[in-house]
Amino acid sequence: QISSKPFAGDAIVAALPDCATRLSSAPSMSNNNITTYAENPTTAGAGGISECILLPMASVGGSESPILPGGTTFDIVASSGGKSSLLDLFVYSETPSDTELRIGLITPFAPPISRRKKSNQSSSTTLTVSRGNESSVIPFALSAITNYLRSGERSGYQVGTIISDPNDFGPSVTYRVSRRHGCDSKGFSDSAAECFQSRHVVNRSRSGKSRGDVAKSSRLPSWLLRPLAAPLNPKATQHLLPPGSRTLLLLNAGGLHFFQQTSLLNNFASVLLRAKDVAKDTLVQNFFTSYGHAEVCAMCFALATSSSSSDLLKHRAGQTALCHGHQPCMKLNGPSSIDGNQTISSYTFQSSFLYEGMVKYFSRLLRPFWYKPAVVVTEGRPICGDSIYSNYYQSLPAKVELLLNDASLDEIRQPLVSLQNLMKRDFKPAVKSIPGASSKSSTDAMEIDEDGNSGGLITSALQRKSREARRIDNAYHTHSATAKELMTIARQTEDRNMHALYRLLSRCVQMLNLMSCLKHAHANPSLPEIQWGLLHGLTFSQLITSEDGQQRVDALLNGVVSLDEKSLTSGFSTDADSLANTLSRQCYLFFSASSRLTYSGFRYAWDARSMPLSSPRRSEFANQAASYFRAAARHWYNPTIIVGRLFSKETMVNFEDAAESAMDARSPLALAAKALMELGNAKGVADVCLICASNFGGAKVPRDESKEFGESFIKDMFDWERGLYHQPQGGEKSSDSKVIVTGFDVTASDAKQTCHSILFFYISKLLGSDESLNHKLADELVAACASSSDADFLRSMYEHL
């Protein structure tokens, strides 16, 4: 709007979308005096643009004119200082279609194992520099490069000892973590996209100098790497826009003019701070009337979990949600009967606005990362045969790009942790125990495999309506409901919904903790390398809510805890202990009892090896290691971890092939058996293998408390969380040939065969030795195996002998 007066100036007109909510109807009372509410009112504006503001407004500063003083505007710019780094992730988060979501899990990236060309250098655990020989500088340079690549950003040029293959191969580094992240403005690199074809592949095919096929990672679709922008309601993003983040700057002859745009959330915070009684304050009630109870409850949770809110504001926001959230109820489906007696099947559960508001806010916290890949792996560039590096590598280490950097991960995690603490405090009955469960041993634990048609979802959020409908129909379809019974059912259903929501929330928090731990562990050269390829292309949604995603994480963590001389450069260090303790405290839903017990077993086995042969401490530590391995074997339910990803039905023709394949794939069972056998504990080897075989169809091995350590107590873990997401797949007696692990052709019968093959391998190895000590160990091993009650195993062992 241009003023007709000379040099008067300009007026800025801003149009805003309609955010007001039109309430469909007021609460009503049913015949049974049960309060019913209309469906949550829509937030769509009737006419699109329905609110306008004029900057500067009239009557501001004693002036009746809306014209900006200072003459004509020279320039105008919008400042976004303080904008959240997650805003771009939030905006570019179009929800995938049902067809795209049905694609399933991306195939894991399997880097080549031991395909490096043999080096002319002498075998050594360290690489040294010889000043008299120019070619010996190459191994030292490679050591520096590989350590630098693993250390990543801000670690400097750290040079130290790295792992060397005992077969005289060069230094082994499989992955390098890139400094580029998916949350950056450029996003993931194009090399991981489906349509990308590397120029190195084209050049290699033209020159004919290919050194063999290099394992390639699965290419990802564009909707996964670069999702489109989603049209979102302004209220959905206001928790990412702190006060002062949206400012308009104007320049004219009068100087700079600042106009700060405040969000609806900031205005609501001001109202709460001025209110004397949030339950009765008129302005607070106006917010609920204008914008809907569910939406304002979501705003309350946003203020109660924000790091920028004061303690007073957090307290008042939480109290406001509890006061105005109303209670759940049972809504009558149709008109009441003539006699006024209604069965429970005539009602539909209506959740409270408190729960709906929490779901709204929680979904907004998940949106920036939920359907985005956590890790993207691209295979390394092949190295030509005439390169000086070809003596050590066939290709460069695979490139790993993470979605979240440290800053964005912390920004996502902080409100989620605050919301988790709020639920523990304000909804303790629904969180501390399983609502509706009659006892601690109740089978109604809402497990991940509770519903065969659930698609492997961890929580039962998608099936709760049908489950509650079936329960009501079966138990009460002929029963006349009283008001008290309806209220009891409504509250119990609400508590179960809250409980399911908390489970999903806790899984999200611990997954973010896990990604942070893995990134920092990979940067530490004294720790084993993280096998990022197992997580390639998996979205956070799949890692958190799917059973197959859980198995991928289990396989990755197995490589972290199954430690031997090949994976450690200088033995167990304080860094390894610190990592195990951190994972146990912050990621116990993923770092299971199996992982914790396995790590303790290898820790004591390593300590026993460091003792002299005649030391009594060596025997004591060896027995403790066997006790931990026995306890861990009862939790080894994943057949892929036992068999190993190198498993192949074509190459595994006998027990020796199966045992060696498991050892090469770093199976925890194979490594534990090897560690115990080196310590001379043949009885422990037999027990561990037979206990593990019982998980895949073998005979049950009774638990001996004197020889097995129980699971240690973890602070802040609820009783119902123990072993919740780590259960046998298809039952402990599952021995069919069905493939039960996504991305690997492995069955339960394959795992049981591997358990038996490891025992046969050591029996043959010991009996074929000329040393009397090995013959004694062979007698002990055969005697321990002969005491088994598994008829099939005994028949196979006698045939083998």
Side-chain angles (χ1 to χ4, degrees), residues 319-531:
Q319 290 298 317
T320 303
L322 295 175
C323 291
H324 297 271
H326 297 295
Q327 294 183 355
C329 63
M330 302 297 292
K331 183 180 178 181
L332 190 62
N333 296 329
S336 60
S337 60
I338 299 176
D339 56 2
N341 295 326
Q342 305 292 337
T343 61
I344 294 182
S345 59
S346 302
Y347 292 87
T348 301
F349 171 73
Q350 178 68 43
S351 58
S352 66
F353 294 125
L354 187 71
Y355 172 77
E356 293 179 3
M358 184 172 292
V359 172
K360 273 180 175 286
Y361 178 57
F362 184 40
S363 63
R364 292 167 184 175
L365 294 179
L366 298 185
R367 189 177 190 94
F369 67 96
W370 190 244
Y371 286 120
K372 294 183 175 65
V375 179
V376 174
V377 179
T378 307
E379 72 279 358
R381 179 175 63 85
I383 298 178
C384 298
D386 54 357
S387 172
I388 59 175
Y389 299 101
S390 62
N391 288 331
Y392 296 91
Y393 296 108
Q394 179 178 346
S395 62
L396 293 177
K399 179 178 64 175
V400 177
E401 294 176 291
L402 304 178
L403 174 66
L404 305 175
N405 54 30
D406 292 339
S408 59
L409 191 147
D410 289 339
E411 189 172 354
I412 289 177
R413 180 171 49 186
Q414 183 275 321
L416 290 173
V417 172
S418 299
L419 185 61
Q420 184 182 21
N421 294 333
L422 183 146
M423 293 192 70
K424 288 182 179 180
R425 183 186 69 243
D426 296 341
F427 304 94
K428 189 174 182 180
V431 170
K432 187 176 181 180
S433 60
I434 302 174
S438 58
S439 63
K440 292 184 178 180
S441 60
S442 174
T443 58
D444 185 18
M446 300 165 67
E447 299 287 358
I448 55 177
D449 56 352
E450 181 181 6
D451 190 344
N453 298 323
S454 64
L457 292 178
I458 294 260
T459 67
S460 56
L462 298 181
Q463 291 83 29
R464 66 172 182 271
K465 290 186 178 180
S466 60
R467 184 176 63 247
E468 293 301 330
R470 291 194 304 267
R471 181 177 301 171
I472 291 174
D473 182 66
N474 293 335
Y476 302 104
H477 67 280
T478 61
H479 177 67
S480 180
T482 63
K484 184 177 180 181
E485 289 174 338
L486 291 174
M487 183 56 65
T488 300
I489 294 174
R491 289 178 177 175
Q492 182 176 338
T493 306
E494 177 94 346
D495 287 343
R496 289 182 67 86
N497 291 346
M498 282 288 186
H499 185 87
L501 184 65
Y502 176 82
R503 289 194 179 192
L504 181 58
L505 173 59
S506 61
R507 292 273 296 181
C508 293
V509 171
Q510 295 201 20
M511 173 51 66
L512 294 173
N513 293 340
L514 178 62
M515 295 303 300
S516 178
C517 289
L518 294 179
K519 180 180 179 180
H520 290 88
H522 188 88
N524 192 334
S526 65
L527 297 175
E529 190 174 22
I530 303 300
Q531 297 302 311

Side-chain angles (χ1 to χ4, degrees), residues 587-598:
C587 315
Y588 55 80
L589 295 179
F590 295 95
F591 193 71
S592 63
S594 168
S595 300
R596 296 190 290 270
L597 294 170
T598 301

Side-chain angles (χ1 to χ4, degrees), residues 718-757:
F718 294 116
D719 291 337
W720 54 266
E721 290 181 311
R722 295 181 180 274
L724 179 62
Y725 304 115
H726 301 85
Q727 301 292 339
Q729 300 163 2
E732 293 185 356
K733 297 299 181 183
S734 176
S735 59
D736 53 33
S737 59
K738 179 183 178 182
V739 178
I740 56 179
V741 180
T742 301
F744 302 94
D745 185 16
V746 179
T747 65
S749 60
D750 297 330
K752 185 176 70 170
Q753 181 183 357
T754 300
C755 297
H756 296 168
S757 297

Side-chain angles (χ1 to χ4, degrees), residues 211-267:
R211 302 180 60 235
D213 295 332
V214 178
K216 296 181 180 180
S217 62
S218 300
R219 295 303 186 249
L220 305 180
S222 58
W223 66 265
L224 197 60
L225 286 177
R226 304 181 187 279
L228 300 176
L232 301 172
N233 191 294
K235 295 194 294 294
T237 60
Q238 59 183 347
H239 66 284
L240 297 176
L241 299 171
S245 59
R246 293 181 293 181
T247 305
L248 202 63
L249 286 79
L250 291 91
L251 176 65
N252 61 11
L256 276 175
H257 302 268
F258 295 85
F259 298 96
Q260 181 173 318
Q261 180 182 353
T262 61
S263 65
L264 185 65
L265 186 64
N266 296 331
N267 294 335

Side-chain angles (χ1 to χ4, degrees), residues 11 53-67:
I53 60 173
L54 202 61
L55 299 177
M57 295 182 179
S59 303
V60 176
S63 173
E64 296 296 333
S65 173
I67 303 303

Side-chain angles (χ1 to χ4, degrees), residues 16 265 298 360 413 489 552 631 715 780 790:
L16 301 179
L265 186 64
K360 273 180 175 286
R413 180 171 49 186
I489 294 174
R552 296 278 190 94
K715 185 180 179 182
E780 294 178 0
D790 192 334

